[in-house]
Amino acid sequence: MTAICPVFRFAPSPNGYLHLGHAYSALLNFDLARQAGGRLLLRIEDIDITRCRPDFEQAIYEDLEWLGMAWETPVRRQSDHLGAYVAASDRLAAMGLLYPSFESRAEIARLVAGEEAKGPWPRDPDGAPIYPGTAKSLSAGEVAALKHAGAPMALRLDMAAAIRHVGALTWQERGSGPDGETGEVAVHPEAWGDVILARKEVPTSYHLSVVIDDALQGVTDVVRGQDLFWSTSVHRLLQALLGLPAPVYRHHALLRDETGTKLAKSLASTGLRDLRAQGVTPADVRRLVGLSPRP
Ligand code: GLU
């Protein structure tokens, strides 16, 4: 039997400067890949055309190099591979699992407010109200008219149909979820409702591209923050629908600032560039995020 070489990846989005939370995730991937004698990939997740910027991408390379990290090249940049994501959504569409919706965010908020007036309305694991499924009942003529009128369009996964298609699923968790979930974790993609997999302006989404890329790049170990723990339900579902292998997952706790708030790019005080300018060293960063000194 040939031993499988583990493949890890760090997959930041260039929509801001990296902070200590990113440093923790990146260095953890780096350390685990080294300990396992595995490979480390860096992937630039830049499909959000309104927020991602080339200067932030450049800053990611600089900051990670400063931390002493090394990764394989060429680096996969998601915006260069839209065709791969379109092919995947075409397959899901051919399976009858996607439907177009045309509401603006404001219209969806109004629809949800209408539902909430009648009683409690479910929210997804990130706290956003789930989509009420309104567009599912549009006729072919209405869809054609809305497309013609240039309405904002998104392709949504028909979650109930997708779950019927694959049945019960689990994933292997080597870290833990927000409530300590670990080991074999049962997926709950229904908690997200009919998620958007592609939009007219950008023919993919975080969920779709991450699943396609992890498979195309042969990623065996996904190490990322606990904020993405329940997204893994959607990722396992898409892997099963598209016949893709399932990596093992290790979700790590998020670093919090002294007030207990999750570190965000907006908190400039923890930005790696600022820390560097203040004379903080890469060894200090390892200590600050709770990692042992580099072996
Ligand atoms: N690009 C995502 C982020 O920056 C991470 C995706 C992942 O690790 O699956 O939050």
Side-chain angles (χ1 to χ4, degrees):
M1 210 173 89
T2 342
I4 298 174
C5 173
V7 181
F8 292 75
R9 88 313 191 262
F10 176 58
S13 299
N15 54 15
Y17 292 119
L18 299 186
H19 56 66
L20 279 180
H22 296 107
Y24 176 52
S25 206
L27 289 167
L28 190 59
N29 269 288
F30 182 61
D31 288 2
L32 289 169
R34 276 170 64 125
Q35 279 163 24
R39 299 165 52 203
L40 177 67
L41 311 177
L42 172 64
R43 185 165 74 223
I44 300 294
E45 303 211 324
D46 62 346
I47 56 167
D48 184 347
I49 47 178
T50 56
R51 293 170 64 218
C52 293
R53 290 185 355 206
D55 54 322
F56 288 140
E57 180 180 335
Q58 206 45 49
I60 289 174
Y61 301 134
E62 285 167 22
D63 290 347
L64 296 181
E65 264 169 32
W66 173 71
L67 284 176
M69 286 186 50
W71 55 88
E72 292 184 14
T73 52
V75 167
R76 184 175 175 93
R77 189 192 288 115
Q78 289 188 324
S79 59
D80 293 337
H81 297 278
L82 295 178
Y85 315 131
V86 171
S89 70
D90 284 351
R91 276 186 62 193
L92 295 169
M95 292 160 78
L97 297 177
L98 300 187
Y99 68 91
S101 69
F102 300 90
E103 300 91 350
S104 64
R105 281 179 215 276
E107 278 165 328
I108 293 178
R110 266 199 301 280
L111 290 170
V112 169
E115 297 293 343
E116 281 176 335
K118 295 182 232 157
W121 184 253
R123 294 191 168 242
D124 71 22
D126 284 346
I130 68 169
Y131 175 68
T134 328
K136 221 193 285 194
S137 51
L138 290 174
S139 69
E142 286 167 324
V143 166
L146 284 159
K147 277 188 185 168
H148 187 72
M153 187 176 90
L155 289 177
R156 292 181 179 272
L157 184 66
D158 182 337
M159 189 55 84
I163 292 171
R164 275 197 304 276
H165 205 88
V166 293
L169 295 168
T170 59
W171 83 81
Q172 283 305 320
E173 176 62 42
R174 298 216 173 127
S176 64
D179 292 315
E181 302 88 343
T182 193
E184 190 168 359
V185 178
V187 304
H188 289 294
E190 69 284 357
W192 294 97
D194 291 349
V195 287
I196 290 178
L197 291 190
R199 292 180 196 274
K200 189 162 72 177
E201 337 64 277
V202 182
T204 187
S205 60
Y206 162 62
H207 294 309
L208 187 61
S209 23
V210 86
V211 160
I212 298 303
D213 285 353
D214 284 341
L216 278 174
Q217 298 191 286
V219 170
T220 59
D221 291 72
V222 172
V223 178
R224 62 185 178 193
Q226 247 167 20
D227 52 336
L228 295 170
F229 185 81
W230 284 117
S231 292
T232 312
S233 284
V234 179
H235 301 171
R236 271 300 290 129
L237 175 65
L238 292 175
Q239 286 155 1
L241 290 169
L242 294 165
L244 303 173
V248 299
Y249 290 86
R250 180 185 177 120
H251 292 91
H252 59 74
L254 300 175
L255 297 188
R256 304 203 173 254
D257 68 11
E258 50 288 348
T259 67
T261 313
K262 190 175 110 179
L263 291 187
K265 285 171 204 177
S266 53
L267 297 172
S269 57
T270 69
L272 297 182
R273 326 215 100 203
D274 295 325
L275 294 174
R276 183 157 83 228
Q278 289 160 29
V280 169
T281 67
D284 295 332
V285 169
R286 290 190 72 97
R287 204 164 20 78
L288 283 168
V289 300
L291 287 171
S292 50
R294 196 170 157 175

